[in-house]
Amino acid sequence: MSRQLLSGHKVEQASEEEVKKMEMVPFVRGIVRILPEGWLYSWSATNFLNKIYNMKFRSDDVIVMTFPKCGTTWMQEIVWTMLHNPNLDNPEADESLWLRSHEISMDMHMDIEHFKGKLWHPIMEKFEKMCPGGRIEDGVCLQILEASPGPRVMKCHYPFSLLPPDMLQSAKIDLPQVVYVTRNPKDMMVSFYWFWKESNSFQYRGNFENCIRQLMTGSTLFTPYWPHVKEAWQKRHHSNVHFVFYEDLKADTMLELKKLNDFLGTRLSEEKLEAVAQHTSFSSMSKAGVNQIKKVYGERKSKKTSFFRKGITGDWKNHFSPELQEEVDRWIEKNVSGTDISLRWALWQ
Ligand code: A3P
């Protein structure tokens, strides 16, 4: 049985066999496929996608949009710091990033059996405080976001076509700003493997090669990858969209921070940008992040690998066999051909 979303997408239940092959922790109501692209999300995403399609963004919102494991957390902290902590003296910065910058796509995770219909305790606590009388089934993070003062820095793993169609349709002044971050797919895949493997929530049981093949064939959670990137790539010239490659951010952080400064209109001096770069460096964020993650996800999920693993480019070289590299490179070339997406970062030799 399929059902239609307001975005025009069709929702189809993935078969038990398909879900079993994902080799993850059980999802209470299984996994759905959002067609035509075929994105795979936990069932409860369908409870929220229509609400998200009608979401009212504000002109001072910044949405950090990514396919997972492409540098979301890093960019969230950069944007949050530039907007809310440019002098590095805001005491709120000690709060976990996961409680300062909420995720539009987070509520679907409460369908993971492990959570028993709720999200992590500190998020629930904030929800009860900020949204008295709010119903969990209407979306915990969505309601926290509604009740949050601006400028809101939001994280979103959903692609553009599942978001409001008028989001980028009028004059710049009325619209939210979107920072889209992407990354060499081979590094994204390695990052995914370790994230899932170590995650108490997903408990991935597959081996490395299986994980890479599932990511390539669009047969695991969040996939397929390319339609997500291509939708954003098409919008990259919109004055409210800023496209960033993780590799560029890593290679010349100051140059990318200057571009962000222009895009966000934050007007920070070079000295302040230097301080932001330092504050959001991998070493600073991973040091602070371990405790921040612990506060939100609990002790077992607090391993460094969750969101701060190595923070380098080209780690795929330590993981891929020559055969697997060839297979993935063919997949990349096939998907990039006919587009002007640069193979420079996609293959990253
Ligand atoms: P690795 O697993 O390759 O180390 P996301 O936030 O989208 O889940 O992405 C996680 C990836 O970003 C991880 O990559 C993580 O280490 C990296 N990362 C997080 N903070 C970073 C930072 N400040 N600088 C560089 N990379 C960072």
Side-chain angles (χ1 to χ4, degrees):
M1 197 184 70
S2 76
R3 130 182 188 217
Q4 183 136 5
L5 297 173
L6 290 176
S7 60
H9 289 83
K10 279 215 166 112
V11 178
E12 201 180 76
Q13 187 85 25
S15 71
E16 272 180 36
E17 193 53 31
E18 286 175 295
V19 176
K20 210 167 129 199
K21 281 194 189 149
M22 290 182 197
E23 300 184 86
M24 283 191 196
V25 80
F27 292 81
V28 179
R29 286 160 295 186
I31 303 278
V32 286
R33 178 176 279 114
I34 311 290
L35 296 164
E37 293 83 359
W39 286 300
L40 292 163
Y41 300 126
S42 80
W43 186 94
S44 60
T46 60
N47 271 351
F48 307 115
L49 284 171
N50 282 344
K51 188 168 177 179
I52 290 167
Y53 194 72
N54 280 328
M55 202 164 157
K56 295 280 168 262
F57 287 108
R58 308 176 194 156
S59 57
D60 60 352
D61 286 338
V62 181
I63 303 153
V64 175
M65 187 191 283
T66 60
F67 189 83
K69 309 322 289 173
C70 287
T72 332
T73 317
W74 188 12
M75 185 55 77
Q76 272 175 284
E77 190 63 285
I78 290 174
V79 173
W80 193 90
T81 306
M82 289 174 74
L83 291 176
H84 292 281
N85 192 19
N87 301 320
L88 302 186
D89 58 359
N90 183 348
E92 280 178 41
D94 295 335
E95 177 84 283
S96 168
L97 176 64
W98 286 262
L99 295 169
R100 284 183 269 130
S101 169
H102 286 277
E103 177 180 344
I104 295 172
S105 37
M106 179 70 121
D107 288 305
M108 69 169 147
H109 295 312
M110 69 172 86
D111 212 35
I112 297 176
E113 198 159 272
H114 180 74
F115 296 132
K116 304 199 175 9
K118 291 186 172 182
L119 291 175
W120 294 269
H121 175 66
I123 297 181
M124 294 308 299
E125 208 173 49
K126 186 167 175 188
F127 172 63
E128 278 152 25
K129 221 182 271 169
M130 283 182 75
C131 315
R135 293 169 357 130
I136 293 178
E137 44 294 15
D138 293 332
V140 168
C141 286
L142 289 178
Q143 290 173 82
I144 292 179
L145 277 169
E146 274 165 27
S148 295
R152 302 180 294 184
V153 179
M154 313 179 185
K155 159 177 171 178
C156 182
H157 286 320
Y158 291 135
F160 268 112
S161 60
L162 294 176
L163 297 185
D166 58 356
M167 185 176 149
L168 294 176
Q169 254 172 22
S170 56
K172 181 174 167 81
I173 196 141
D174 302 325
L175 300 176
Q177 289 176 297
V178 179
V179 180
Y180 188 92
V181 189
T182 193
R183 183 182 199 185
N184 176 329
K186 291 199 287 259
D187 279 338
M188 170 275 286
M189 290 166 150
V190 169
S191 189
F192 241 125
Y193 172 72
W194 286 111
F195 175 71
W196 273 337
K197 194 87 191 154
E198 301 277 336
S199 161
N200 197 27
S201 321
F202 294 102
Q203 296 176 21
Y204 183 66
R205 297 182 303 277
N207 65 29
F208 180 72
E209 295 223 343
N210 276 356
C211 179
I212 303 306
R213 295 218 163 82
Q214 287 165 342
L215 287 162
M216 264 198 295
T217 52
S219 50
T220 190
L221 216 56
F222 295 110
T223 62
Y225 167 77
W226 288 105
H228 197 295
V229 178
K230 286 180 183 177
E231 283 189 5
W233 186 249
Q234 277 170 5
K235 295 191 191 301
R236 74 192 181 285
H237 296 309
H238 191 288
S239 51
N240 286 58
V241 177
H242 186 64
F243 207 96
V244 181
F245 291 106
Y246 179 97
E247 287 71 25
D248 291 337
L249 188 57
K250 193 77 200 170
D252 192 342
T253 309
M254 274 304 284
L255 178 67
E256 293 301 318
L257 290 195
K258 282 179 194 163
K259 289 188 204 162
L260 268 171
N261 203 24
D262 289 342
F263 176 70
L264 298 171
T266 30
R267 297 167 171 233
L268 303 188
S269 65
E270 177 128 5
E271 199 186 335
K272 291 219 162 118
L273 290 178
E274 293 271 7
V276 172
Q278 183 54 41
H279 182 71
T280 58
S281 68
F282 184 77
S283 61
S284 310
M285 277 186 71
S286 55
K287 227 179 276 157
V290 172
N291 286 330
Q292 293 190 1
I293 293 172
K294 208 184 284 179
K295 274 193 217 154
V296 177
Y297 295 104
E299 197 63 46
R300 277 189 63 204
K301 182 73 198 315
S302 67
K303 290 183 195 134
K304 255 183 127 174
T305 45
S306 327
F307 289 94
F308 309 102
R309 194 182 59 91
K310 284 195 182 171
I312 58 170
T313 54
D315 193 33
W316 62 267
K317 291 175 192 162
N318 301 316
H319 288 79
F320 281 64
S321 65
E323 297 74 34
L324 190 62
Q325 181 194 337
E326 212 181 294
E327 200 179 322
V328 176
D329 282 352
R330 271 203 307 273
W331 170 75
I332 293 171
E333 281 171 49
K334 183 172 139 229
N335 281 287
V336 167
S337 80
T339 75
D340 55 353
I341 298 179
S342 149
L343 265 180
R344 177 182 69 83
W345 70 272
L347 295 178
W348 207 257
Q349 299 297 348

